[in-house]
Structure formats: structure tokens, C-alpha cells
């Protein structure tokens, strides 16, 4: 079983029949990425890439820094990481050969940055991530995504939805390059707040999980240097579901299980739904930016609140 090898585009593919996740082998991953390479590569090209790898006998992990054994022909870009205070060598997955190399490394998920390598301070898309509570809650994520769509429309913007490949929905809004990362982050916070106000019983911007009360989290933190799983990327779950674009009219009628490495190639053989559904880039309304600047950054606010609660618990004890 193990040791099966073939070569595609100069890349040696090994151990293709090893299991990867329940219901899917490494061959299923490689074959899928090869078949949809023309669709997924435009989402990855020129963007610093993080991948989630699943090696045998190890817990899955996110890889940002390229390992020393990476072939020289894999394009890369150095990016300074504030958190770790070091330079990280990110891959740029620009072609089929690089994609196949990653697949052979058992890289299942593909998380590019929202900005291209040559303009890391200018994200190309504003993103809201709808994260429902535990359980069979995809319909709740869809309902919250429709709130985001309404908030966008009320703000003069248009976006496109895709399944996250897990249990949520991502809404992408393409923007013109005149807004920088800080302005886009502010606008994202404002849109999340506007969506929450439309139905606070359904949606919340509470970053701390225990404060969400069973509501859908409208996550505004996918901004600046953040990454989001790419359209058409598999997810590391049983059967290898895929993050897939869906027309707004069809969103209430689909489930994440509709889109897997087995079903998606036929769905994209004749067209690119992500490209077809994506509106043209739009300028961000200044009032969104101004409103967003009055809203605390969720992660920072949550950090301070967590410390405050910890102090309160210590004092109460």
C-alpha cells in the first residue's frame, strides 16, 4: 500500500494510498487538487500561504515558515511576524507544480493572506466569518450571512458567500486599493456591528465564547494580515469537505456536505463559480471607517476583559 509513487509535473508523489482522514486517502487529496488547480491557484497566487498539514502519527498543524527541505523552485517571500519577532519565509503557491508538492506534503488546507505579497498593507477583500454555535447549526450561519448581506446592501456594498467547509459561512467583499489595512479593519468591525443590530437575537459580535449565548458569532477579526481558507480548499475533516462559493439565492438550500473533494471537480469543470459570483472591487464608504474606529478591536477588548474577569475571580475567592 505505502510507497506507491508516480510523477506529475516533475513532482514525485509518494504513499498515495495511505489514509488521510476518515473516508479519504492522500490520493484523493492529490487527485482533487490536481483536477481543480485552474480554479484554486488564482486564489493562492502571489499571496503568502499558510497550510494545515496532517502527517501520519502527528496532530495536524499549521505551517507558515517553509521547511529547509523545500525545493528551490518554490517561490517564497519573507514577512516580518510581530508576534514572534522574526522573519517568516512564506510560500507563494503560484503554479500546479507547487500545489502538487504541497499535496504530497499532506497539506490539506490552504489559507492565503487577504493581501498580495507586493502590497501586504492593502488587502484585496474585506471578510466576515459567520461562526455558529456547536451542533448542526449551519442554517443559523446562513441566516447570519443574510444579515451581513443586508448590512452590506444598506452600506452600498455587495459581497459573495462561500461555505467555510466546516460549519460556517464566509462573506467576501472585494475592495478597491485605496483603503489600507487599518481602514479595512475598521470597516469590517462596523459591518459586523450593523449586522448584529439587525437581529441581536441571532447574531453577536462577542469575541468571548461564553458571552455568545448560542448566537452566531459575526467575526470581524479576519482583517489586515489575517488569512482565510481559500475558495475550493479542502478542510481537514472526514470525507474532505471543500470551501465552496454559493449564490445567495441558493445558500439556504445547501449543506457543507454537498461540497467535497469528490463532488466539486464536476461542479467547476465548466465554470468558476467564485469568479462568476464575485462583484467588482468597490470603494469603502468613509462612514463605515469612521463608525468602525469607534468600535474596540475584538481581540484586544477580549484580552482586557479576560484579565478583568480573572482579577474579579481572584478577589472573590
Amino acid at each position: 500500500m505505502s510507497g506507491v509513487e508516480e510523477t506529475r509535473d516533475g513532482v514525485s508523489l509518494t504513499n498515495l494510498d495511505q489514509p488521510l482522514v476518515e473516508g479519504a486517502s492522500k490520493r484523493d487529496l492529490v487527485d482533487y487538487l490536481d483536477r481543480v488547480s485552474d480554479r484554486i491557484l488564482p486564489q493562492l497566487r502571489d499571496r503568502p500561504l499558510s497550510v494545515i498539514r496532517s502527517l501520519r502519527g502527528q496532530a495536524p498543524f499549521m505551517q507558515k515558515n517553509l521547511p529547509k527541505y523545500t525545493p528551490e523552485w518554490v517561490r517564497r517571500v519573507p514577512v516580518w511576524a510581530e508576534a514572534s519577532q522574526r522573519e517568516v519565509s512564506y510560500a507563494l503557491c503560484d503554479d500546479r507544480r507547487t500545489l502538487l508538492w504541497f499535496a504530497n506534503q499532506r497539506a490539506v488546507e490552504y489559507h492565503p493572506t487577504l493581501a498580495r505579497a507586493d502590497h501586504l498593507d492593502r488587502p484585496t477583500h474585506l471578510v466576515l466569518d459567520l461562526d455558529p454555535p456547536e451542533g448542526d447549526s449551519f442554517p443559523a450561519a446562513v441566516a447570519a450571512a443574510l444579515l451581513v448581506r443586508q448590512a452590506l446592501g444598506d452600506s452600498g456594498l455587495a459581497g459573495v458567500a462561500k461555505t467555510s467547509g466546516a460549519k460556517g459561512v464566509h462573506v467576501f467583499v472585494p475592495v478597491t486599493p485605496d483603503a489600507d489595512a487599518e481602514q479595512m479593519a475598521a470597516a469590517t468591525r462596523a459591518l459586523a456591528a450593523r449586522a448584529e443590530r439587525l437581529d441581536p437575537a441571532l447574531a453577536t459580535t462577542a469575541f468571548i465564547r461564553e458571552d455568545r449565548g448560542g448566537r452566531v458569532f459575526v467575526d470581524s477579526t479576519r482583517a489586515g494580515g489575517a488569512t482565510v481558507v481559500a475558495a475550493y480548499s479542502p478542510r481537514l475533516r472526514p470525507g474532505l469537505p471543500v470551501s465552496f462559493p454559493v449564490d445567495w439565492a441558493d445558500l439556504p438550500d445547501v449543506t457543507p456536505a454537498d461540497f467535497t473533494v469528490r463532488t466539486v471537480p464536476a461542479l467547476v469543470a465548466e465554470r468558476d463559480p467564485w469568479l462568476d459570483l464575485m462583484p467588482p472591487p468597490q470603494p469603502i464608504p468613509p462612514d463605515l471607517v469612521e463608525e468602525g474606529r469607534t468600535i474596540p478591536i475584538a481581540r484586544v477588548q477580549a484580552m482586557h476583559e479576560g484579565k478583568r474577569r480573572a482579577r474579579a475571580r481572584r478577589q472573590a475567592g
Side-chain angles (χ1 to χ4, degrees), residues 144-157 194-195 198 248:
L146 295 174
L147 292 182
V148 169
R149 186 192 188 197
Q150 182 179 338
L152 287 170
D154 292 345
S155 306
L157 295 168
R194 291 182 183 189
L198 290 172
W248 287 110

Side-chain angles (χ1 to χ4, degrees), residues 157-205:
L157 295 168
V160 61
K162 67 179 179 71
T163 65
S164 70
K167 58 188 175 72
V169 177
H170 296 150
V171 178
F172 273 60
V173 183
V175 297
T176 51
D178 44 305
D180 62 22
E182 181 276 328
Q183 292 168 315
M184 285 187 60
T188 307
R189 294 195 297 275
L191 283 167
R194 291 182 183 189
E196 178 184 37
R197 287 198 296 269
L198 290 172
D199 190 348
L202 169 66
T204 178
T205 56

